[in-house]
Amino acid sequence: MKKLIGIVALSLLAAGCKTSPTGRTQIALYSPQKMNEMGVASFAQMKEQQPIENNKQTNRYVRCIADKLIAQLPSQYANQEWEVVVFKENSANAFALPGGKIGVHTGLLNVAKDQHQLAAVMGHEVGHVIAEHANERVSQNSILQFGLQASDVALQMGNVEYREAIMQGLGVGAQVGVALPFSRSHESEADVIGLDLMAKAGFEPTGSVRLWENMNKLSGERQAEFLSTHPAPETRMQNLKRNMPEADILKRAAWKKGLKPACK
């Protein structure tokens, strides 16, 4: 019986092997449709629980940046209908979920000082979606916590027992322990994907470094990096700078096409 379980588990893992946009091997056990369902349900839940910013100018500004980024996504995502919501929340944060959902906190607008810096954050968050990081996280949670239970049983947003793990897998929250290095690799990968995405849209890629300089000023005392699910700001800036020459080439190519965003 143990051998049979092992064979089934290995078969599931083999079937779920994929390659990320940066060439990293992934385990993604769930279908895009299932992930979209969870993303849409999670977003609906957030809209019910959190106040929404209705200022038209703020919403136009955020939507303008989102549209420029979305236009540069692979066709399966670019042709998708995206919902962009600005939440009244003081934390400097944003997120994107499978199913075409983007959320931006008003607190982020105090840290991301211009369109380029905000595009860096939003590009990073959309990068998580197109790299299927949520699928990886939920798959990992299933393996660690659910023992590879069938997704129709374990992954139901209406099931209180599993809701927290699902939200965590979608990128809301963080698991301490074995999943930490996994999450850091996601963050670093999304930084690179987001950098290229914002550059393709014509945003100034150096805005990503300026953003993290601002974030670093706000961070105060932090945990040691190995205890954090996110790389330290200094590490992120170094990684972004290493990838800046390629991003600058993409930006110049975008400018030649007339792509010079003017979101205000």
Side-chain angles (χ1 to χ4, degrees):
M1 179 59 72
K2 286 182 180 178
K3 251 185 213 182
L4 180 59
I5 293 171
I7 291 169
V8 171
L10 287 172
S11 298
L12 284 170
L13 292 175
C17 280
K18 303 184 72 174
T19 303
S20 77
T22 64
R24 182 176 54 81
T25 301
Q26 302 174 285
I27 298 295
L29 300 178
Y30 301 104
S31 69
Q33 292 77 14
K34 188 65 183 178
M35 296 308 303
N36 288 347
E37 287 174 15
M38 287 189 286
V40 169
S42 298
F43 201 69
Q45 184 178 329
M46 291 176 193
K47 289 193 294 182
E48 289 177 0
Q49 296 176 347
Q50 299 181 32
I52 293 173
E53 175 59 68
N54 293 315
N55 182 278
K56 291 182 180 179
Q57 186 176 3
T58 300
N59 279 279
R60 275 199 304 267
Y61 172 58
V62 173
R63 183 77 217 197
C64 175
I65 295 171
D67 287 343
K68 304 297 184 187
L69 295 170
I70 291 166
Q72 300 306 314
L73 293 175
S75 58
Q76 69 189 91
Y77 298 103
N79 296 331
Q80 188 176 28
E81 184 177 348
W82 287 79
E83 181 181 8
V84 182
V85 174
V86 181
F87 292 96
K88 286 185 179 179
E89 166 59 52
N90 291 330
S91 61
N93 200 13
F95 60 91
L97 298 176
K101 307 297 178 182
I102 297 174
V104 174
H105 293 181
T106 50
L108 179 60
L109 303 179
N110 298 322
V111 182
K113 302 295 186 180
D114 57 35
Q115 62 172 347
H116 310 290
Q117 294 181 35
L118 186 54
V121 182
M122 295 173 69
H124 167 97
E125 297 303 330
V126 172
H128 280 306
V129 173
I130 65 175
E132 297 191 54
H133 289 161
N135 198 333
E136 275 190 276
R137 286 170 172 173
V138 174
S139 298
Q140 186 187 46
N141 281 344
S142 296
I143 294 167
L144 294 177
Q145 299 176 27
F146 307 144
L148 290 173
Q149 290 183 40
S151 62
D152 286 341
V153 176
L155 300 181
Q156 296 293 335
M157 282 303 299
N159 190 323
V160 176
E161 182 181 356
Y162 299 116
R163 187 180 300 157
E164 184 178 347
I166 292 168
M167 297 290 280
Q168 180 186 102
L170 290 171
V172 183
Q175 180 179 345
V176 177
V178 68
L180 289 182
F182 199 65
S183 296
R184 285 200 300 273
S185 70
H186 283 178
E187 293 299 325
S188 296
E189 188 169 57
D191 278 346
V192 174
I193 295 170
L195 181 68
D196 286 353
L197 180 59
M198 67 181 293
K200 287 178 182 177
F203 292 102
E204 179 55 65
T206 55
S208 61
V209 177
R210 294 198 300 272
L211 169 80
W212 280 105
E213 288 172 348
N214 296 344
M215 287 285 198
N216 201 21
K217 292 173 185 175
L218 292 178
S219 59
E221 292 186 8
R222 296 189 307 272
Q223 291 178 309
E225 184 172 356
F226 71 90
L227 292 177
S228 171
T229 55
H230 290 59
E234 295 87 349
T235 302
R236 302 184 91 143
M237 286 187 278
Q238 290 170 6
N239 188 38
L240 289 165
K241 288 176 181 177
R242 277 196 301 271
N243 289 276
M244 200 61 64
E246 183 179 347
D248 194 57
I249 292 171
L250 293 173
K251 177 201 72 176
R252 292 180 185 279
W255 285 6
K256 286 181 180 178
K257 297 175 184 177
L259 299 177
K260 284 194 175 183
C263 301
K264 299 179 181 179

